[in-house]
Every structure is written in C-alpha cells, then in structure tokens.
C-alpha cells in the first residue's frame, strides 16, 4: 500500500515496498579457554578463619573459523587507506591480513588476575553467632554470540534490502548496482563486490574485559537449637561493561535546504557521520554497531533472613531483600546495534537495571504430619507433607520509547519528553497504567525520559505442593511419592508491564499477564 494506498493494487501493479533477500548465515566461532585457580584456608585461631584465592584466566578472543570479521579504522578512513585483501573494499575497512590488525580482531589479555578473600569470625567463641565477609574481583568473558553478525558483514553479507525495486516483481534486482548478487560465495574472491549503504559490525582491538568487584558482610545469630537469624549487606561494582553503540549515526541538521527540510528519513545515509566527512567513501557505510567498553553498574542490597531447621515436623525459610541496581545499559547477548539513545552520550542512558526489583519477599515452609501409634491413623494421616512457597516482588522497570526516528539519527532508541509531573494514569487501572498525555515526541532532538524510569505492577504468587509417601516391598529405601502441585494457587492475576511504545494503539495499557493457576499430579518412585 505504500505506492497507491491499496495493498492489493500495489501487488497487481508489481510495486514492491522493499525486497529483502538473504543467504545462509553460518556461524563457525572457535574459542579456547584456559584458567588456573589456587586457594588456601588459614585457621588464624579457634575463632577466626581466612580463605584466600587467586584465579588466572587469560582472555583468548573468539575467532571465526571461516575467516570472517573486520575492523573499521576512522583514521584509515580519513586518510583514504584501503585493505590489501579486497580490491573493492571502501577506505577504512581493514582485515586481519592488514598491518596492525590481530588475527582474531582483538588482542589477547594475559594479565587480568582475580583475587578472592573471605573471613569467618566467631565474636564470642560460643559457636552461636558469626560474622562473615568476602571480597572478589571476577572477570567476564564476552559471549561467543557477541560477534554473530560478522557473517552478515560484506563481503560475506548474508542479507540485502532494496527499497522500492525499480524492476518491480518482474525483475526486482533490475537497477541494482552489479545486478543480483546471489548466491554470495562462501569464500569471497579478491574482486568481491562491496555495496553502498552496508551495515558493518565493528569491534575494539584492545577492549577491556568487563569485571565485577563483589563484596558482602553478614551477621548470623542462632536462637535456641533450631532458629537462625541473619542480616547481610551485598554490593558490587561493574566496570568496563560492554554496550553496543552506533559508530556512524545520522546527524540531525535543523532548518530548510531549499524547499525541503535539511533532515528527512529519505536522506538518512547522506547525513551519516562518515558521509559528511567523505560523501563518496562514506556512501558505502550505513549503521555501524560498535563495542563501547566504558559502561558501569552498581548493585547494593540488604538481605534479612529467618530460618528454622527441620524439627518438630516443620521447616521455615523466610527472606526479604531491599536492593537497587543501576547501570549504563543492559546486556543483550550480541552486538546488533545501538543500545543507547545518544551514541555520543552513553551516560544519558544511566538508569535502573532491567533486573531492578526493589523489594523481594520469599517465604517457604515444609510441614509434615507426625507418626501415629494407632494403625488406622498411621495409614490415613502419617507421611503427609505440605510445602507452600510465597513470593511478593515489586514491579519491573521499563522504558517508554517513541516508536519513531524522532531524532532523525537512525539509531531508533528514541525516548520522549516527559511533559507532566506524573506519568502514570488512573491508580491501579491496567487499561490506563500510563497517561499518554504525559509524553511528547520532539522532532530533531533526544527526549528526557529516563531509561527504566517507570515500573509496572508488583507480583504476588503462592505455589503449593501436597505429597504423601508410601513404602514399597522393593527394598528398605523404596517408596512411592504421590504429589499434587498447584502453581499460583490463588489464581491471582500478575500483570506484565504496559505497552511502552507511543506509536502503539494500546500505548500505556497492560495487555498481558503471567500464568494463571496451573495444577498437576505427579508420581515419583524412590529406589
């Protein structure tokens, strides 16, 4: 319907909105992992024990077994330097056969050490209370999947999109430079074509690995012979968090250029950073997802716990966590595009983590029926067990997006401006969780709405199991366990977060929920 306004008429005329064709996407990643770890437990005296350890795990980067991968150098692009591998590659695009480019497209790291230390102290020597503390540094190795889009980069490019093909349905590749490029050879020749407007996943040659400094301190107190109380402070600091950003966004240009606005969706590629530096060479590059290794995150929590060990036919474990998690961006698993609204201001996306559930309460207990002396009571009432789990959690954080390229940068992570003091709608009303009038989508600028600055409804859930065991004449330890289990036993509706895209017709409304009550019956044979 983009040509005539009628989808059927467009089809009869052969007018295609866009053509996307792809070849096979073949992953062939390899990585070697080596680590050594040493630990020593030191008993300082009868009341103090110290545990110290050191882990060494060099980072040997991922390699594509088919030789795919590339590195874009802004300096080489500005100087007009080309690769020595492919004749038609644009300036700035280098490969591991070029000087200074590592074989794996990333440098090995051998000096990242991970110390750990912990103490356990009995303040009184009576054995009924303890103080425990620990600290560690833990490095993270990026997932192999992070580089999956290497197989989409030219000259291997597995997917090509042509907007409004000139040849229509009769010959959709007519007018495309070089004609139909499929099938694309799995091993490109030296004269392989490089098409304009291509997307390249880029990476850092000497990226710092993400690491977490983690610490905690806890106090435990035993009451009587069966109860244990504990209070724990948990904290961590993440450094060099990997975040995807677009290295080649379009630049918004205000005003009019002749009879047309200077910035439109039609001239996005002409306004990209590299095209503005060099219009001829820059025309080969569209979006360029790149790894940014300067992200940070923090987590702090207070954990309170009450535990009754199994005695007198019951056991209880109850805990409550109050926590706050803040970071510059979430981990998406692969580097497919920009994760931040403004690639030049990563700190502008600093906000609550996707996992920031501020309050979490859990309690579980097990109650067993006692043994009875009378045979008929023994048969009917013994060996029963009731096991409920109760969970109460505060709402999940979420972000509001405009759903359009309002900034005209082609990053497509635009957030709106918040124009009212309260973004929420009617209290507790799932059809009006957000007030649409509280948001406005500015043109040519980034919105001020924060990342994960809003929260959805909380969660309340009770799971329960009732079971009984019957001894079998198959051996001393053999028994048959009959279990009846109910998940969300109260059938409480736990709503999801609302629709968070302004262009959606149900923006601000909650349209989904977690599972309703689920019942199941199970038999388990122990032998």
């Amino acid at each position: 319907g983009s040509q005539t306004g009628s989808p059927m008429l467009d089809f009869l005329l052969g007018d295609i909105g866009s053509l996307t064709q792809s070849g096979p996407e073949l992953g062939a990643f390899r990585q070697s992992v080596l680590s050594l770890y040493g630990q020593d437990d030191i008993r300082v005296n009868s009341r103090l024990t110290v545990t110290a350890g050191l882990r060494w795990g060099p980072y040997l980067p991922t390699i594509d077994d088919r030789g795919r991968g590339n590195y874009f150098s802004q300096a080489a692009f500005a100087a007009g330097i080309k690769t020595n591998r492919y004749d038609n590659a644009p300036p700035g695009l280098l490969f591991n056969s070029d000087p200074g480019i590592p074989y794996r497209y990333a440098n090995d790291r051998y000096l990242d050490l991970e110390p750990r230390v912990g103490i356990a102290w009995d303040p009184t020597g009576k054995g009924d209370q303890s103080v425990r503390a620990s600290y560690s540094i833990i490095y993270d190795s990026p997932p192999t999947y992070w580089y999956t889009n290497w197989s989409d980069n030219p000259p291997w490019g597995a997917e090509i999109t042509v907007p409004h093909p000139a040849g229509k349905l009769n010959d959709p590749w007519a007018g495309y430079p070089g004609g139909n490029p499929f099938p694309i050879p799995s091993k490109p020749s030296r004269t392989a074509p490089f098409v304009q407007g291509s997307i390249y996943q880029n990476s850092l040659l000497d990226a710092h690995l993400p690491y977490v400094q983690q610490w905690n301190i806890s106090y435990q107190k035993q009451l009587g012979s069966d109860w244990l109380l504990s209070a724990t402070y948990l904290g961590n600091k993440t450094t060099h968090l990997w975040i995807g950003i677009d290295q080649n966004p379009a630049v918004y240009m205000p005003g009019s250029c002749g009879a047309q606005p200077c910035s439109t969706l039609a001239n996005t590629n002409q306004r990209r950073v590299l095209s503005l530096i060099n219009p001829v060479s820059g025309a080969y590059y569209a979006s360029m997802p790149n790894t940014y290794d300067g992200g940070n995150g923090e987590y702090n929590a207070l954990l309170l716990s009450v535990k009754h060990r199994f005695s007198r036919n019951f056991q209880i474990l109850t805990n409550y966590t109050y926590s706050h998690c803040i970071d510059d961006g979430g981990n998406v698993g692969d580097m497919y595009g920009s994760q931040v609204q403004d690639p030049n201001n990563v700190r502008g996306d600093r906000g609550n983590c996707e996992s920031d559930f501020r309050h979490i309460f859990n309690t579980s207990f097990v109650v067993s029926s006692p043994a009875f002396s009378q045979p008929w009571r023994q048969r009917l009432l013994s060996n029963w067990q009731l096991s409920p789990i109760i969970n109460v959690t505060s709402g999940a954080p979420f972000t509001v997006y405009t759903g359009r390229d309002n900034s005209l940068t082609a990053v497509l992570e635009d957030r709106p401006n918040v124009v009212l003091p309260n973004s929420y709608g009617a209290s507790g009303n799932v059809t009006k969780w957000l007030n649409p009038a509280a948001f406005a989508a500015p043109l040519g600028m980034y919105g001020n709405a924060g990342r994960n600055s809003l929260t959805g409804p909380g969660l309340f859930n009770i799971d329960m199991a009732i079971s009984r065991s019957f001894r079998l004449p198959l051996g001393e330890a053999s028994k048959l366990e009959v279990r009846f289990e109910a998940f969300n036993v109260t059938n409480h509706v736990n709503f999801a977060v609302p629709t968070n895209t302004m262009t959606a017709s149900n923006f601000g409304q909650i349209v989904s929920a977690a599972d309703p009550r689920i019942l199941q019956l199970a038999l388990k044979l122990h032998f």
Side-chain angles (χ1 to χ4, degrees):
S2 60
Q3 301 300 307
T4 64
S6 168
M8 181 57 70
L9 185 55
D10 277 6
F11 173 72
L12 294 175
L13 294 175
D15 283 327
I16 306 174
S18 66
L19 167 72
T20 298
Q21 184 170 340
S22 64
E25 187 174 85
L26 305 173
F29 297 109
R30 306 290 185 267
Q31 187 174 23
S32 298
V33 178
L34 169 69
S35 63
L36 297 174
Y37 179 70
Q39 177 179 307
D40 193 16
D41 295 331
I42 305 167
R43 187 179 184 188
V44 180
N45 54 46
S46 61
R47 294 166 51 190
L48 178 63
T49 300
V50 178
T51 299
L54 181 65
R55 183 181 185 274
W56 174 71
Y59 172 57
L60 306 176
T62 300
I63 182 66
D64 184 285
D65 195 51
R66 297 175 180 266
R68 291 170 294 199
N70 60 259
Y71 173 71
F72 175 79
S73 168
Q74 185 105 3
F77 175 83
I81 298 174
K82 295 187 175 184
T83 178
N84 58 26
R85 182 182 295 183
Y86 300 108
D87 296 340
N88 298 316
L93 191 65
L94 306 177
F95 299 86
N96 55 12
S97 59
D98 295 311
I101 308 302
Y103 179 69
R104 294 187 176 94
Y105 295 101
N107 294 319
D108 300 339
R109 300 187 68 89
Y110 290 98
L111 301 179
D112 294 333
L113 301 177
E114 303 173 72
R116 294 100 190 269
V117 61
I119 65 168
W121 176 49
D122 182 351
T124 64
K126 296 179 180 180
D128 63 347
Q129 56 185 311
S130 67
V131 176
R132 303 173 188 272
S134 67
Y135 172 83
S136 65
I137 294 177
I138 303 173
Y139 279 87
D140 185 19
S141 180
T144 302
Y145 192 66
W146 185 262
Y147 301 102
T148 185
N149 290 323
W150 268 350
S151 59
D152 293 335
N153 290 355
W156 305 277
E159 183 175 287
I160 297 176
T161 297
V162 182
H164 305 299
K168 302 186 178 182
L169 277 174
N170 294 331
D171 184 7
W173 290 100
Y176 184 80
N180 187 349
F182 292 94
I184 297 175
S186 59
K187 293 184 178 180
S189 66
R190 186 176 184 86
T191 58
F194 285 74
V195 299
Q196 294 185 351
S198 295
I199 298 175
Y200 292 90
Q201 175 178 321
N202 198 30
S203 60
L204 298 178
L205 299 184
D206 197 25
H208 296 86
L209 287 183
Y211 71 89
V212 178
Q213 299 178 75
Q214 191 165 277
W215 56 86
N216 65 73
I217 183 169
S218 67
Y219 172 74
Q220 297 174 316
K221 172 65 176 177
Q222 181 178 328
L223 299 178
S225 59
D226 301 326
W227 291 92
L228 179 67
L229 309 180
S230 69
T232 305
Y233 162 68
L234 303 164
N236 67 52
K237 167 67 170 65
T238 303
T239 305
H240 295 305
L241 181 67
W242 282 19
I243 299 173
I245 64 171
D246 191 347
Q247 192 175 350
N248 191 32
V251 177
Y252 175 73
M253 299 177 180
S256 298
C257 296
Q260 300 293 329
C262 294
S263 298
T264 66
L265 295 177
N267 64 9
T268 294
N269 284 344
Q270 289 75 28
R271 292 185 291 106
R272 292 189 180 273
V273 171
L274 297 181
S275 292
L276 295 178
I277 296 174
N278 186 325
V280 176
S281 299
Y284 285 88
Y285 298 99
S287 174
M288 187 180 294
N290 188 34
T291 303
Y292 172 79
D293 65 354
N296 291 277
E298 293 88 30
Y299 173 81
N300 292 278
L302 173 66
L303 171 62
L304 304 176
S305 175
V306 178
K307 182 178 181 180
H308 179 273
R309 70 174 185 173
F310 191 81
S311 64
R312 300 182 182 180
N313 297 312
F314 77 96
Q315 169 185 305
I316 295 177
L317 176 60
T318 299
N319 56 65
Y320 165 74
T321 305
Y322 172 70
S323 64
H324 193 188
C325 179
I326 303 174
D327 63 15
D328 296 331
N331 186 358
V332 296
D334 70 318
M335 215 268 294
Y336 66 91
S338 182
Q339 297 171 240
V340 299
Q341 177 179 238
D342 182 359
N344 297 310
N345 181 23
V346 174
R347 293 282 294 186
D349 268 56
R350 187 169 180 80
N352 298 322
C353 305
E354 279 75 7
S355 58
D356 182 47
F357 297 92
R358 202 65 54 87
H359 303 275
I360 301 175
F361 172 82
N362 294 288
T363 186
S364 63
F365 55 92
V366 178
V367 179
S368 297
S369 60
F372 294 92
S373 57
Q374 296 89 345
W376 65 272
R377 287 188 177 182
Q378 177 74 13
R379 295 190 187 97
L380 292 177
L381 303 177
S382 293
N383 299 320
W384 286 95
Q385 192 173 84
L386 177 67
S387 309
I389 301 175
I390 303 172
N391 172 241
V392 183
T393 304
S394 56
F398 67 94
T399 306
V400 171
Y401 295 98
T402 64
R404 297 188 180 95
D405 186 13
N406 289 84
S407 63
L408 294 176
T409 59
V411 174
L412 303 180
E413 290 287 330
D414 291 343
R415 301 191 294 269
N417 274 341
V418 180
V419 296
L420 293 179
N422 183 15
S423 301
Y424 296 98
S427 178
N429 190 336
V430 297
T431 63
K432 298 179 181 179
W433 191 264
L434 294 179
N435 179 9
F439 305 94
L443 185 65
M445 60 182 295
Y446 298 111
N448 61 17
R451 169 179 158 267
N452 287 333
S453 58
L454 300 171
T455 57
L459 177 145
F460 173 80
N461 187 71
I462 300 177
D463 299 331
M464 185 177 295
I466 301 174
S467 63
R468 187 181 181 187
S469 298
F470 300 88
R471 294 193 178 278
L472 299 176
L474 302 176
E476 185 176 347
S478 62
K479 61 181 180 179
L480 180 67
E481 181 182 352
V482 180
R483 294 181 61 85
F484 176 74
E485 297 173 324
F487 303 92
N488 190 8
V489 64
T490 62
N491 204 29
H492 179 76
V493 181
N494 289 303
F495 291 105
V497 298
T499 303
N500 62 342
T501 304
M502 293 180 62
T503 53
S505 59
N506 54 2
F507 170 59
Q509 302 176 24
I510 297 178
V511 296
S512 61
D515 290 335
R517 181 193 296 123
I518 298 175
L519 307 176
Q520 71 179 28
L521 180 66
L523 297 176
K524 182 184 292 185
L525 178 63
H526 300 260
F527 59 93

